[in-house]
Structures are given as structure tokens and as C-alpha cells.
Amino acid sequence: SRQLVASSTLTYKINKDLTARALAGLDYRLTQDHRYQDPRVNDGFAVNGRLSTQSDWNTNFINTNTINYKKRFNNLHDIDVLAGIEYRKDINEWFQADGQTFPSSELQYLNSAAVPVSVGGQWGASSNFSQFGKIGYKYNDKYIFNYTIRRDGSSRFGENNRYAVFNSFQFAWNVKEESFLKNVKAVNELKIRFSQGQTGNDQIGNNLFADLYSPARVYGNQSALNPSQLPNPNLSWETKVESNLGLDLSLFDNRLSFTIDAYSKQNRNLLLSRPLYSTTGFSSITQNFGTIENRGLEFLVSATPIKGDFTWNTSFNISFQKNRVLKLYDDLEFLPNDPSIRVGFPLGSFFTSEWAGVNPATGMGMWYDINGNITYNPTAADRKMVGSIFPTSFGGWNNSFSYK
């Protein structure tokens, strides 16, 4: 494989408060695969040698241009304003060819193959264009406010839904800087944080919104174009809406600290493949549907019980989380092809008959039926949600010791 990574940044200070910056970056990668099966070994003996070669080219280019204004007034007010545009393009191309029947084991390139087996290749590209802005304000290092807005465009969606607007804001109160707490030596930091915002997701394949035809060989080796994908001009961005409330507290010369975060995340208009009836001639179509919610509470405490030539640092963290499906498509309560995905229940749930153990007298397996009674022959009607692969809580305790 070969790779070239390069970037360049140009910064121009218009005046002491206003700065313009331009960035360009390139990531080029070529990966080649050469697989030869020698005719003197079992895999290649029957066909007198077999060869498969493949080349993958990946090119990623990004250009970001920003202008930033920073100013402090009366030694109390800090203003930070940023505006910019960004362009990104990703190109992927691959080529593969296979051949067999070589005149000599020394000749290991396709031009020596007597029998061409297959050849294939593909080219694809996607691009994103964004405009964004940010306004930040800070008063006397006590009250901090930021607002961000983005308009993102992606070639992976049709013209009607190519662009979407996402915004977010953050607020923080540095309570330690208040007069009633500033001189309390036992408290090194006390900050309350709140944020809420949206982000977009376009991480799907290229051209899934389009009406596509694919080339194919039909009867008599004649070429033709066949329908390969149903169009969906309404395909649009998936949106994640997140809210977070947090607290940071440090005490006793930072030897004891606490961090607490409560969050809520919703993924709306999920980009998913929806199965179709076989009578349509297609197996699926990519659509926006469904909403998933994650809520949780995270707690971290860190301490330095012993500090000196011998130092002991310890930290404990624990997280509680709850995941559930809020909405599917067409007002369905569960997916027809996967009944374990149900409204009101977590993803990764088990939809099955509940195990009741083994009858010690007979050794036969037992289950609970839908009414909670013991049965030896559960039916489909006895299935229910009996758990999830995702834990509702997890955590850890870390300790480090040092001596100097």
C-alpha cells in the first residue's frame, strides 16, 4: 500500500482582533492485492495456476476557510465570533481481475493467463459543503454562552433534501468565581454546565436516493441494463438531538473531584434499509424512519488519598443508561421481519419464550407460557421480551501507585 497525507494552513491576521484562516488537506491511499495460487500446490493444481489482483484508490480532500473575531471589553466581556465554509470530497475506485491457466509458475501476471475468469470495478464519490457560524460570550469568567449553527449539504441526498440546518447552544456557570465562593480555599472548582444541540448524519452509501440501473449480461452474453434500485427522492438527513446537564466539583487542592452528567439523546429519522415485498421486484429501500432514545446518568469521583514520595491516585466511575425505541414506520409496534425491535423496548432485546429451568424428575426443559404457567412445548404465541444485550449500568474502579 502507498499513502500520501498532506495539509497546509494559511493564517492572516487582519488586525489584532480579526483573523482569517484557510486550511487544505489531502489523504491519498493506494492499496494493491496480488494473490497467486501456484500450480504446484493443491489450490492451483487443477487449473494450472490461479491469479487474482485488485487495486483500491481512495482520495479524500478537505478545504476549510474561517474568519474569527475575538475581543475583550472593559476587562469583563469576552466576545468570540466565528464564520466559515467547508468543502469535502471523497473518491473511491477499485478494479479487480482474475485469471487462470499459466504456462509457467514463474509468470505470475494476468497477461500470462490463458483463461480470463472475471473482471470488475467501481467508481464512487461523495461530497459535502457546509456553512457554519459560532457566537461565544463570556462575562468575567463566570458566565459562558456559546451558540453554533450549521447548514450542511451532502451529495448522498436528492436535491430536495440535500441541505439541512443544525444548531446548538451551551451555557456554563463558573460558581467558583462568585464572591461568596471565590475565597473558599477548600473549593478549587465548581461549575454547572448545560448544553443542547443537533447534529446530522449522512453516513450511508452513495446514490441511495436515486433510480439506478445496473449493467448485466443476459441471454446469449448480450449486455443490458436492469433496474437495481428504487428511487427515494425524500431521503434526508438523520438527526441526533442531545441534551446534557453536568456539574464539576474539585476540593482540597484538587485532591478530591466529582463529575456528574445527565444526558438525553434522540436519533430521529434514522437512515435504515426497509424490507419490501418480493412482488415489487426489489428486496429493500433506504428510507428515513424511526426514533431511538438513550437516557443516562454518569458519575465519576477521583481522589488522591496519599500524595508525596509515595502517591496513590484512585478513581471510580459508574454509568446508568436506558435505551428504547420510540417510533417505527407506518405506526407499527414492531418490525415485521424482526419482532424483537418493538416500540417502548430497548434495541438488542430478546423476543423469545422465557426459560423456566429443567424438571429435576424428568430432565425435560420447561418454559413459561404467555400466562405465566409452566409448559414443555412453547409456541410462537408464548414469546415475549425477556431482556436485552445492553447493560443498564456499568462502571469501574482504577488505582495507580507511584514512588519517587
Side-chain angles (χ1 to χ4, degrees):
S1 63
R2 298 177 177 87
Q3 184 175 15
L4 171 65
V5 179
S7 64
S8 177
T9 303
L10 175 64
T11 302
Y12 177 65
K13 202 167 185 64
I14 302 171
N15 57 46
K16 66 176 183 178
D17 304 318
L18 192 62
T19 304
R21 181 174 285 108
L23 179 145
L26 175 68
D27 184 349
Y28 172 80
R29 184 177 304 172
L30 168 62
T31 304
Q32 294 178 303
D33 187 27
H34 184 94
R35 298 186 184 184
Y36 180 73
Q37 296 176 341
D38 197 290
R40 294 169 293 182
V41 298
N42 289 338
D43 290 340
F45 177 79
V47 294
N48 207 39
R50 181 183 289 114
L51 175 64
S52 176
T53 65
Q54 181 171 337
S55 296
D56 290 271
W57 296 268
N58 290 277
T59 304
N60 303 315
F61 172 78
I62 186 170
N63 173 242
T64 306
N65 301 280
T66 61
I67 187 165
N68 188 203
Y69 175 78
K70 290 185 177 181
K71 183 73 173 180
R72 186 173 178 89
F73 299 93
N74 300 327
N75 209 32
L76 290 173
H77 309 276
D78 290 280
I79 302 292
D80 187 351
V81 180
L82 176 74
I85 58 174
E86 183 175 87
Y87 174 76
R88 178 185 178 118
K89 190 173 184 68
D90 300 323
I91 303 173
N92 174 259
E93 182 179 4
W94 64 268
F95 172 82
Q96 179 176 345
D98 300 329
Q100 62 187 34
T101 311
F102 291 80
S104 169
S105 61
E106 301 297 323
L107 302 174
Q108 299 181 9
Y109 289 90
L110 283 173
N111 62 341
S112 301
V115 180
V117 177
S118 65
V119 62
Q122 189 175 12
W123 182 93
S126 66
S127 58
N128 295 77
F129 181 71
S130 302
Q131 301 127 341
F132 53 89
K134 175 186 174 183
I135 299 175
Y137 172 73
K138 181 167 61 174
Y139 174 73
N140 200 24
D141 293 326
K142 290 192 293 187
Y143 311 109
I144 304 167
F145 175 82
N146 290 293
Y147 175 76
T148 303
I149 186 169
R150 296 182 60 96
R151 181 176 181 262
D152 292 324
S154 173
S155 64
R156 288 172 169 158
F157 306 120
E159 292 184 3
N160 295 337
N161 296 297
R162 185 156 291 172
Y163 286 89
V165 176
F166 309 99
N167 55 71
S168 64
F169 73 90
Q170 302 89 33
F171 172 77
W173 178 22
N174 192 357
V175 187
K176 171 62 179 175
E177 294 300 316
E178 296 289 354
S179 59
F180 60 82
L181 197 59
K182 195 168 187 177
N183 296 321
V184 179
K185 294 183 179 180
V187 180
N188 302 108
E189 180 188 26
L190 176 58
K191 182 183 290 185
I192 299 173
R193 302 172 279 105
F194 178 75
S195 63
Q196 187 175 60
Q198 304 168 325
T199 56
N201 174 33
D202 69 338
Q203 295 304 296
I204 55 174
N206 299 328
N207 304 311
L208 293 179
F209 67 91
D211 187 4
L212 296 184
Y213 290 78
S214 297
R217 287 184 296 175
V218 294
Y219 183 76
N221 281 331
Q222 297 298 310
S223 61
L225 291 174
N226 296 326
S228 61
Q229 178 179 282
L230 282 175
N232 181 8
N234 296 320
L235 193 65
S236 62
W237 289 82
E238 177 182 320
T239 303
K240 181 168 75 171
V241 181
E242 182 174 356
S243 300
N244 184 283
L245 178 63
L247 181 144
D248 301 312
L249 174 63
S250 294
L251 305 170
F252 313 123
D253 197 23
N254 295 312
R255 293 185 63 174
L256 180 63
S257 62
F258 301 88
T259 299
I260 303 174
D261 282 284
Y263 65 86
S264 173
K265 303 176 184 179
Q266 281 192 10
N267 290 69
R268 303 171 181 173
N269 297 320
L270 300 172
L271 290 164
L272 298 173
S273 178
R274 175 180 172 178
L276 297 175
Y277 292 109
S278 58
T279 53
T280 64
F282 300 88
S283 60
S284 63
I285 185 172
T286 302
Q287 290 184 336
N288 294 94
F289 67 87
T291 301
I292 297 174
E293 180 184 63
N294 290 277
R295 288 186 175 184
L297 180 66
E298 297 176 344
F299 179 78
L300 169 67
V301 56
S302 302
T304 306
I306 302 174
K307 187 175 183 179
D309 291 339
F310 175 78
T311 300
W312 172 26
N313 294 308
T314 184
S315 66
F316 172 78
N317 69 87
I318 188 168
S319 298
F320 304 92
Q321 65 176 7
K322 183 178 181 181
N323 166 280
R324 60 175 179 160
V325 178
L326 298 183
K327 182 181 178 182
L328 296 173
Y329 62 90
D330 294 343
D331 296 324
L332 291 176
E333 289 298 314
F334 61 88
L335 288 182
N337 63 328
D338 190 351
S340 69
I341 300 180
R342 290 177 172 252
V343 173
F345 291 90
L347 286 177
S349 295
F350 298 103
F351 182 70
T352 185
S353 300
E354 185 177 2
W355 177 249
V358 175
N359 188 323
T362 64
M364 296 179 61
M366 302 183 297
W367 289 264
Y368 294 106
D369 65 18
I370 196 64
N371 298 314
N373 301 315
I374 296 295
T375 180
Y376 294 96
N377 298 295
T379 65
D382 296 322
R383 293 182 297 172
K384 59 182 178 180
M385 308 298 275
V386 294
S388 170
I389 62 173
F390 297 111
T392 57
S393 62
F394 55 91
W397 182 28
N398 298 305
N399 293 275
S400 65
F401 305 92
S402 63
Y403 178 77
K404 62 177 180 180

